[in-house]
Amino acid sequence: MLDLSQLNKQLMVRDFVANTCMTLNKNRWNEYLALCDSNDFAYSIENYSPEIKKRQCWMRQNFEGIKHVIDLLPKHNSDHAQLTRHITTYSVRETETSDVYEVNSQLAIYRTEWDSDNSHLKSGATTLYVIGSYLDQVAITSSGLRLRRRTVELETRQVGTGSHFIL
């Protein structure tokens, strides 16, 4: 028999993960942080390198670390391209811990140029920036849904320089 309560929770979690992307797309960094579990948050960007036949970790932060990265964004000399995240959620499953869900989403991030060294040629152009997946852990808490873990598993390994934004 179909458990509508469980289905409703899965849909809420799916919408929540989409909301994290929309918040990041609008560069609303503090709103993104408010969606994260301040006591139990882990963020990492990882990939597999066939050249060295090993996994690489490009970034690993807890809540305070990611908050510090976000606080430093205005001080970085970075490009001003707009990143737009598109996800397709493949699975939402409850873990052994009640009301904690593992979410697997495929990810494509597009990059739209705002200004560059050849702004008359590139301004407004959109290119595919990275592809990969989000491996998220979302908890349903008394204060709402919270992102506990986000692992960005990249397929793309050439991202260029100048972007310091959270993927």
Side-chain angles (χ1 to χ4, degrees):
M1 182 172 186
L2 185 61
D3 182 350
L4 293 179
S5 173
Q6 182 63 16
L7 180 61
N8 187 43
K9 287 180 181 181
Q10 288 177 333
L11 289 173
M12 285 177 15
V13 168
R14 183 182 301 261
D15 287 350
F16 175 81
V17 170
N19 188 43
T20 66
C21 293
M22 291 186 289
T23 303
L24 289 171
N25 287 347
K26 294 175 183 173
N27 297 336
R28 293 183 178 163
W29 310 114
N30 289 326
E31 288 179 34
Y32 175 75
L33 282 176
L35 299 173
C36 300
D37 185 332
S38 60
N39 296 318
D40 189 23
F41 179 69
Y43 177 89
S44 64
I45 302 173
E46 302 175 7
N47 76 334
Y48 177 78
S49 171
E51 293 86 1
I52 62 173
K53 296 179 177 59
K54 291 186 180 181
R55 293 192 50 74
Q56 297 177 312
C57 182
W58 292 4
M59 177 188 285
R60 181 171 287 134
Q61 298 289 343
N62 61 12
F63 183 84
E64 286 303 316
I66 209 73
K67 182 181 180 319
H68 183 70
V69 169
I70 287 171
D71 289 344
L72 287 176
L73 285 175
K75 297 177 182 177
H76 281 268
N77 182 17
S78 62
D79 69 26
H80 299 285
Q82 176 64 39
L83 299 183
T84 304
R85 295 149 189 85
H86 290 271
I87 61 167
T88 300
T89 301
Y90 286 163
S91 65
V92 178
R93 62 176 186 78
E94 190 172 21
T95 64
E96 292 178 7
T97 305
S98 181
D99 287 338
V100 176
Y101 291 82
E102 298 283 343
V103 184
N104 184 342
S105 305
Q106 292 302 182
L107 169 70
I109 301 179
Y110 296 89
R111 184 174 180 271
T112 302
E113 293 282 348
W114 281 14
D115 59 4
S116 65
D117 50 342
N118 291 314
S119 62
H120 62 289
L121 299 174
K122 295 181 181 179
S123 185
T126 300
T127 55
L128 181 61
Y129 183 56
V130 299
I131 62 168
S133 59
Y134 281 152
L135 306 174
D136 292 332
Q137 187 179 83
V138 177
I140 300 175
T141 70
S142 59
S143 56
L145 280 76
R146 293 292 179 264
L147 185 61
R148 281 197 176 163
R149 184 185 74 226
R150 171 159 285 167
T151 301
V152 183
E153 281 280 338
L154 290 181
E155 293 294 325
T156 304
R157 293 177 292 116
Q158 299 278 339
V159 296
T161 59
S163 177
H164 300 93
F165 298 121
I166 306 304
L167 297 177

